Amino acid sequence: MSDISNLTDQDYKDGQILLFDKPLGWSSFQLVNKVRWLIRKNLNIKKIKVGHAGTLDPLATGLMIICTGKFTKRIHEFMGQEKEYTGTVMLGGTTPSYDLETEVDQTFATDHITEEAVYAFAKAYQGAIQQRPPIFSALKKDGKRLYEFARAGEEVAIPTREIMIYDFEITRIAMPEVDFKVRCSKGTYIRSLAYDMGKGLQSGAHLTVLKRTKIGDYSVDQAQDLVTFEHSFESRDHSKDC
């Protein structure tokens, strides 16, 4: 990756890989639009391709790979790579979206859940898993996004699909909260993992915190925030534009 403070308009057109730590509450679409706008505004570019290599929910934070110019053709390479996430599951209640986007709709007992049971679930939930995506997702069925069915209150059958969980580590248990780190394949829904955990522990659960920490060899530790990216245009070496 290049020193972003000295990138020219042609550098962005030729192609750049930009790593961002997506802020809480932002959609992936909003982040891409903001990055595109900053590049166009500061370098006087009328049109430039900018795209991301994997969506994050608005309530998730962490690593997003954003490609510009000719490198947008490489997006599929990154989308297929292994991902790593950290997060928190709240036991004892479910939500329709499997996270905090919607309110708790059912509550369940947690008194019977032992730490040993939590560790045992994580150990068993590895390898090839048949996972059912949440209805509050952007997947399409019959030409419509699943979340459109959900918001309309319509019932829809969602088939399971095989995903891979390479490693599932429990990092903290403070009932009813459980912190975790997971390495998984493309197509894994961590919200569904949280839901499955609740079900597997004869209770209910939903996701309260989620951060994507890695995509392939790229880490969130290498990522910048939007403020840093915006300031990079102010401190850049304008002599390179000549």
Side-chain angles (χ1 to χ4, degrees):
M1 288 175 293
S2 309
D3 176 4
I4 59 172
S5 63
N6 286 324
L7 294 177
T8 66
D9 58 345
Q10 193 59 50
D11 289 328
Y12 281 108
K13 290 175 182 176
D14 288 341
Q16 295 296 318
I17 299 170
L18 305 173
L19 306 183
F20 283 91
D21 187 351
K22 188 188 80 64
L24 184 67
W26 282 57
S27 70
S28 301
F29 182 73
Q30 285 175 309
L31 180 59
V32 168
N33 272 355
K34 181 69 172 181
V35 170
R36 183 189 297 111
W37 181 81
L38 286 170
I39 294 171
R40 290 179 57 196
K41 171 179 175 282
N42 287 283
L43 298 180
N44 296 314
I45 302 175
K46 288 186 178 181
K47 188 176 181 181
I48 185 168
K49 290 182 178 179
V50 181
H52 67 77
T55 301
L56 275 178
D57 293 331
L59 294 181
T61 62
L63 181 61
M64 277 191 62
I65 297 176
I66 291 182
C67 298
T68 73
K70 295 177 182 177
F71 278 16
T72 54
K73 295 178 181 178
R74 296 182 56 190
I75 281 176
H76 68 281
E77 296 176 26
F78 303 115
M79 292 186 76
Q81 293 181 6
E82 178 183 301
K83 313 292 193 303
E84 180 185 271
Y85 298 88
T86 60
T88 301
V89 172
M90 179 69 73
L91 297 171
T94 56
T95 71
S97 60
Y98 299 175
D99 66 2
L100 293 176
E101 183 183 344
T102 53
E103 295 184 356
V104 172
D105 59 353
Q106 293 187 72
T107 57
F108 302 83
T110 59
D111 295 346
H112 64 285
I113 302 174
T114 63
E115 291 192 1
E116 290 74 19
V118 174
Y119 287 117
F121 174 84
K123 185 177 181 180
Y125 202 91
Q126 295 187 47
I129 301 290
Q130 289 295 323
Q131 189 184 71
R132 194 180 308 280
I135 190 169
F136 277 83
S137 67
L139 292 176
K140 283 188 174 181
K141 183 177 176 65
D142 301 330
K144 289 174 64 175
R145 302 285 186 185
L146 288 181
Y147 63 72
E148 294 181 69
F149 290 103
R151 290 169 182 167
E154 298 176 31
E155 294 287 335
V156 58
I158 306 172
T160 61
R161 58 184 185 175
E162 184 173 286
I163 51 99
M164 287 294 296
I165 303 294
Y166 303 112
D167 187 53
F168 187 6
E169 178 186 354
I170 302 300
T171 56
R172 181 185 71 105
I173 299 177
M175 293 294 291
E177 291 185 342
V178 177
D179 291 354
F180 64 88
K181 180 167 72 173
V182 64
R183 290 190 301 110
C184 56
S185 66
K186 171 188 175 182
T188 301
Y189 278 89
I190 308 302
R191 287 181 286 143
S192 291
L193 180 152
Y195 178 84
D196 290 346
M197 177 183 282
K199 202 170 180 181
L201 294 171
Q202 287 78 54
S203 183
H206 60 281
L207 191 67
T208 57
V209 177
L210 182 64
K211 182 169 189 174
R212 184 159 64 199
T213 48
K214 288 183 180 178
I215 300 174
D217 294 328
Y218 295 103
S219 169
V220 71
D221 295 334
Q222 303 167 283
Q224 62 187 322
D225 58 27
L226 275 171
V227 173
T228 302
F229 185 64
E230 189 164 10
H231 287 170
S232 73
F233 293 103
E234 300 168 8
S235 60
R236 61 198 300 271
D237 181 1
H238 291 279
S239 65
K240 290 198 71 176
D241 296 337
C242 301

